[in-house]
Amino acid sequence: MKIRIDHKICTGCKQCEIACSLGHTGSVNPWRSRIRVFVGEEFCLPVIAGPYTEAACNSKGIRIAEGVDVDACVICRASCPAKSVYKEPDTGIPLKCDFCGDPPNPQCVLWCAPNALTLVED
Amino acid sequence: MFGWNGKILRIDLTQGTSRVEDLPAYLMKYYVGGRGMGARILFDEIDPRIDALGPANKLIFATGPLTGSGAPAASRFIVSAKSPLSNCVASPCCGGYFGANLKYSGYDLLIFEGKSPEPVYVTILNDRVEIHPAGPLWGKVSSDTEKAIRNEMKTDYGLDNWGLNCMGIANIGPAGENLVRFASIMSDGGRAAGRSGLGAVMGSKNLKAVAALGTGQVSIADVEGFRKAVMGFYAEARDNGEFQKRRRYGTWGLPGRANSSKSQAAFNFKAGYSEAFVKYENPEVIRDLIRVRDEACFSCPFSCGKRSRIKDAEYPLTAKGPEHETMALLGANCGLGDMEDICRANYLCNELGMDTITAGTMISCAMELFEEGHLPEKDLGYALEFGNTNMFILLRQIAHRQGIGDLMAEGGIAFATKYGHPELFMGVKGMGIPAWHPQAFDALGLQYATCNTGGSHTKSTMPFYEGRKDPAHFVEFTKKDQDYIAAADSGVLCWIIYHGPLWGEKLSEWLTHVTGVARTKEDLDLLGERIWNLERLFNLRAGITGKSDALPPRITKEPRVKNRVVPLDTLLVDYYEWRGWDKNGVPTRKKLEELALEKEGEGVI
């Protein structure tokens, strides 16, 4: 199973961040969320936390998405030392998406009203 | 503590100091948050007779226990202060990301006092609160101000692009700096705490902007119950056609609806219909013309905000809005019909930081004065009949107080009186009246006339929703809806959603799950009524009496729409009775005892 992201219909409401932190910590704090939404002018990008990497990569730069320049760090799923997201804000412990358990039942998908996030078969 | 943080951040701008206080328990119990707490603190801490633009006025950014809790459509914050436009207590509401970030920073309320000796802006990153000189920012338009602050914070705070992206900024444009009495406080590139001119209060304090970024949390008392309730609400919303429409069109469905039912504010309220708006009766047309994407406030699954674009090199790539009120007041009411022109006017007001509704009634008043020959062309320097795009020049002149704009910045009454026809300004208590023509529904006239902050549509609800259409109950609904919205504004929940397409008594459910303190519908009705009466007492102390519960003579004497006038005098008698007030609109001792406000009423009743 995987979570399919359709950035074209994401509205930037960040309910996924709220659902994720509520599910994992029992309180609402987007900084403790394993999914973060980057809000742009023309579209929003939900990005799900992947594996932790111990060093920042050297392929930083600008990528073009939908005809707009986007910082590559914004598209990258990795939790790394160069990024402020996907870390516990107090301790810096890295966070990774677990599809909310087994069998997969991701809270972010349930809370996404416009259906920008959907759970699909591989 | 669940829901609340239990902290007030108080910033003294005169001294340049800040301190954190505990939030008193009685405020949480009796006023919940947002508008309720704002009204209470203003009542306790300022003399209602002060000059709203003097240093004694206080500017309160207030969140509620639901702000940032994840309850659907609970991102909003309230700004409370004495209004420089109506001289009443004001509590405009604004969406976007600022409210939640203030909450995640660890504070429920942010209070500004005094006046800074030089322009400053304030940044809040959790407990790191700093006041910075705003020198080069002063004079910048709203979106440039935000960009500049983000750049500064990138360096000062070492924030990466993600961190900067999460931030919320409330700021003023040139109109607020120049103390235009209907300047608004802007947030997140186009959202506004718009009505009542609190942008001028912020300007009078030499405060250009407040930026907040919080990495803290809101604790939920009953996590499982809350999650279940939200999922149930989503399922309910999915089957609700009104909600689907609201998501697709936002408020763009309303101009056509108002126009086709002849209830549109048009040509300075001389008409209820504009020929040029017929083409927008199908909202798909507006969507095709200007929409870029749906843009939700923080934590709102309904995304009624729309980002738009026009093909004009002078204007930026994309911008927020325009919403229905803007389309009506700056569009039909000023005789504009072209959607690109309406977008330009909306964009100008947002960037300059002015309330589009009052600005619309100011311009339409000037247009009528010009057409009737009362306002000579030499005073303007150009022609200004209805539909003339010279109004863009005038909007800029108002914001910068140039030429005739200097007088117009003082508000509609001062301006229309100078040219001999105060009756041509369509306002209540000095504040322009909004988009639905009151002659279409008696209840609207009553709502505009009795609103505590001036001619506003956001303090009660429209009478055309299901269950609200029976004229025999208009007065009763007006009273109950005013109370309900006062309670929702204290939550803080977005009444556009909870009193519009999704009619429901969800407020008590969310509050109970989030705070763990059970509150029934009756508790909340009482809360709303207490707030409404407290605001009324503030106004009475400020010298705003029942005589100000009035409408422009055009609405009560000239049948312009549906061949009717609003019988305000008879409605008011009925309304005061429902409120438990005497015939002059002063709360009775009995009513105040019911609300535990008898001490507050001393000297007024």
Side-chain angles (χ1 to χ4, degrees):
Chain A
M1 305 288 271
K2 55 186 174 191
I3 296 170
R4 187 173 170 276
I5 298 171
D6 187 344
H7 64 272
K8 282 186 181 155
I9 50 178
C10 175
T11 63
C13 76
K14 305 197 177 199
Q15 280 292 73
C16 51
E17 298 181 3
I18 286 169
C20 182
S21 62
L22 189 62
H24 284 96
T25 71
S27 61
V28 176
N29 179 355
W31 285 87
R32 290 192 162 146
S33 167
R34 285 112 173 111
I35 181 169
R36 300 303 301 269
V37 182
F38 194 88
V39 180
E41 282 208 357
E42 311 223 355
F43 57 90
C44 302
L45 280 173
V47 184
I48 295 170
Y52 175 69
T53 57
E54 281 181 52
C57 67
N58 54 12
S59 63
K60 283 200 214 75
I62 301 293
R63 306 283 165 85
I64 310 256
E66 299 277 329
V68 179
D69 291 349
V70 177
D71 187 323
C73 269
V74 162
I75 305 171
C76 175
R77 294 178 59 206
S79 156
C80 86
K83 240 188 208 168
S84 63
V85 290
Y86 313 136
K87 285 178 192 129
E88 284 278 352
D90 304 335
T91 58
I93 296 171
L95 305 169
K96 180 173 175 297
C97 170
D98 65 353
F99 285 66
C100 294
D102 188 27
N105 181 32
Q107 290 292 314
C108 55
V109 172
L110 292 176
W111 284 57
C112 181
N115 293 326
L117 305 173
T118 41
L119 192 63
V120 293
E121 298 287 338
D122 274 324
Chain B
M1 196 178 298
F2 299 112
W4 296 277
N5 285 312
K7 297 282 178 220
I8 299 174
L9 175 61
R10 204 181 273 271
I11 298 181
D12 183 337
L13 290 167
T14 311
Q15 306 291 334
T17 56
S18 69
R19 66 174 194 273
V20 180
E21 297 168 4
D22 288 332
L23 185 66
Y26 85 93
L27 277 182
M28 286 183 263
K29 189 168 176 203
Y30 292 107
Y31 294 94
V32 178
R35 179 167 155 199
M37 286 193 188
R40 181 73 231 189
I41 291 174
L42 285 181
F43 191 91
D44 288 346
E45 297 189 7
I46 72 172
D47 178 346
R49 288 163 301 185
I50 55 165
D51 172 13
L53 295 179
N57 202 355
K58 295 194 181 184
L59 187 68
I60 305 171
F61 291 79
T63 67
L66 297 182
T67 307
S69 70
S75 69
R76 300 181 82 85
F77 64 99
I78 300 275
V79 192
S80 293
K82 179 177 168 164
S83 163
L85 185 63
S86 63
N87 283 316
C88 300
V89 59
S91 48
C93 188
C94 180
Y97 298 90
F98 179 82
N101 271 296
L102 181 58
K103 192 79 178 285
Y104 295 143
S105 290
Y107 314 105
D108 298 294
L109 301 176
L110 166 61
I111 305 178
F112 286 103
E113 303 178 342
K115 177 186 177 174
S116 167
E118 48 161 18
V120 292
Y121 71 96
V122 170
T123 54
I124 300 167
L125 175 68
N126 300 328
D127 50 8
R128 188 172 160 191
V129 178
E130 287 169 9
I131 303 174
H132 313 263
L137 294 182
W138 204 251
K140 277 193 196 301
V141 295
S142 175
S143 64
D144 288 350
T145 306
E146 287 200 14
K147 270 183 219 138
I149 290 178
R150 277 175 214 273
N151 274 339
E152 294 277 320
M153 287 191 80
K154 193 169 187 170
T155 336
D156 288 5
Y157 286 64
L159 294 175
D160 61 7
N161 284 344
W162 277 105
L164 289 171
N165 194 259
C166 294
M167 207 162 35
I169 301 177
N171 64 83
I172 53 170
E177 296 169 12
N178 295 325
L179 310 185
V180 174
R181 283 182 186 268
F182 46 93
S184 46
I185 296 176
M186 305 303 300
S187 184
D188 298 342
R191 298 193 188 279
R195 311 297 324 263
S196 340
L198 298 198
V201 175
M202 202 157 152
S204 75
K205 300 196 171 305
N206 267 335
L207 177 62
K208 178 67 176 168
V210 196
L213 176 63
T215 64
Q217 65 191 37
V218 174
S219 304
I220 309 287
D222 173 12
V223 175
E224 262 328 294
F226 180 60
R227 260 213 301 234
K228 267 203 201 107
V230 172
M231 289 299 104
F233 184 61
Y234 271 35
E236 216 177 287
R238 242 168 246 140
D239 301 330
N240 183 319
E242 283 288 325
F243 152 71
Q244 298 297 351
K245 262 196 268 174
R246 184 46 67 97
R247 170 184 283 162
R248 184 159 180 84
Y249 304 120
T251 55
W252 290 353
L254 303 177
R257 195 163 152 187
N259 209 51
S260 60
S261 63
K262 312 276 185 288
S263 5
Q264 179 94 287
F267 303 99
N268 204 25
F269 290 80
K270 279 191 289 187
Y273 167 83
S274 164
E275 191 62 41
F277 265 51
V278 175
K279 55 181 177 291
Y280 305 129
E281 285 178 11
N282 176 3
E284 284 294 335
V285 173
I286 307 178
R287 224 177 122 91
D288 289 346
L289 273 174
I290 55 173
R291 175 184 168 273
V292 176
R293 72 171 177 92
D294 298 347
E295 188 171 49
C297 288
F298 183 82
S299 185
C300 180
F302 306 101
S303 60
C304 68
K306 306 288 169 221
R307 191 158 267 274
S308 61
R309 181 196 336 253
I310 56 170
K311 295 180 192 74
D312 183 336
E314 267 189 54
Y315 292 80
L317 286 172
T318 65
K320 275 196 174 73
E323 300 286 342
H324 163 233
E325 296 289 335
T326 307
M327 287 187 186
L329 270 308
L330 286 168
N333 195 45
C334 293
L336 289 187
D338 182 61
M339 193 48 72
E340 298 221 336
D341 279 342
I342 296 171
C343 284
R344 284 186 190 99
N346 173 59
Y347 171 77
L348 270 180
C349 282
N350 283 352
E351 289 296 307
L352 298 169
M354 282 192 291
D355 169 24
T356 55
I357 300 177
T358 303
T361 53
M362 296 293 305
I363 303 273
S364 68
C365 171
M367 285 172 163
E368 188 167 353
L369 286 169
F370 177 82
E371 282 197 350
E372 298 294 323
H374 307 309
L375 173 59
E377 189 167 337
K378 68 170 172 42
D379 285 17
L380 284 161
Y382 42 79
L384 194 72
E385 65 279 7
F386 280 100
N388 194 324
T389 50
N390 281 337
M391 65 182 266
F392 301 154
I393 307 174
L394 188 52
L395 284 172
R396 287 198 173 91
Q397 283 182 312
I398 296 173
H400 293 287
R401 281 187 177 265
Q402 291 159 344
I404 195 169
D406 191 29
L407 172 63
M408 291 180 76
E410 289 300 308
I413 296 173
F415 170 63
T417 308
K418 163 88 195 293
Y419 287 98
H421 292 271
E423 78 283 359
L424 292 184
F425 173 66
M426 296 296 123
V428 172
K429 303 183 176 90
M431 207 160 121
I433 55 178
W436 292 88
H437 202 299
Q439 285 174 347
F441 308 95
D442 289 351
L444 277 181
L446 181 67
Q447 290 174 7
Y448 297 165
T450 56
C451 176
N452 277 334
T453 60
S456 172
H457 62 297
T458 58
K459 302 288 186 268
S460 49
T461 190
M462 302 300 156
F464 44 68
Y465 290 123
E466 282 314 314
R468 294 290 190 273
K469 289 177 182 166
D470 177 7
H473 297 294
F474 273 177
V475 175
E476 182 188 351
F477 287 144
T478 297
K479 185 253 174 198
K480 287 186 173 165
D481 290 343
Q482 287 174 337
D483 292 350
Y484 172 79
I485 287 181
D489 275 352
S490 305
V492 178
L493 273 193
C494 175
W495 69 270
I496 286 277
I497 298 302
Y498 287 94
H499 229 195
L502 287 168
W503 197 272
E505 274 70 36
K506 292 285 171 193
L507 179 58
S508 69
E509 197 177 341
W510 302 141
L511 276 175
T512 307
H513 286 308
V514 170
T515 65
V517 183
R519 279 176 206 272
T520 61
K521 171 93 178 42
E522 289 69 35
D523 293 341
L524 294 171
D525 290 345
L526 191 70
L527 163 72
E529 194 168 11
R530 183 182 301 126
I531 296 169
W532 195 269
N533 278 273
L534 188 71
E535 289 176 340
R536 184 77 177 187
L537 290 175
F538 181 98
N539 288 350
L540 287 167
R541 282 175 190 271
I544 314 286
T545 63
K547 286 199 188 80
S548 303
D549 295 339
L551 288 168
R554 172 159 294 166
I555 309 296
T556 52
K557 294 201 174 73
E558 304 169 24
R560 294 282 186 170
V561 169
K562 302 187 177 178
N563 204 23
R564 315 175 45 250
V565 294
V566 177
L568 184 65
D569 292 341
T570 43
L571 287 171
L572 272 179
V573 172
D574 208 5
Y575 174 82
Y576 289 156
E577 209 173 298
W578 271 101
R579 278 262 166 238
W581 296 351
D582 70 12
K583 62 180 183 1
N584 296 318
V586 178
T588 57
R589 180 167 301 278
K590 184 164 162 288
K591 177 51 75 181
L592 293 182
E593 274 167 9
E594 267 173 49
L595 302 168
L597 287 176
E598 61 271 28
K599 233 178 86 214
E600 287 74 4
E602 275 169 21
V604 182
I605 59 167

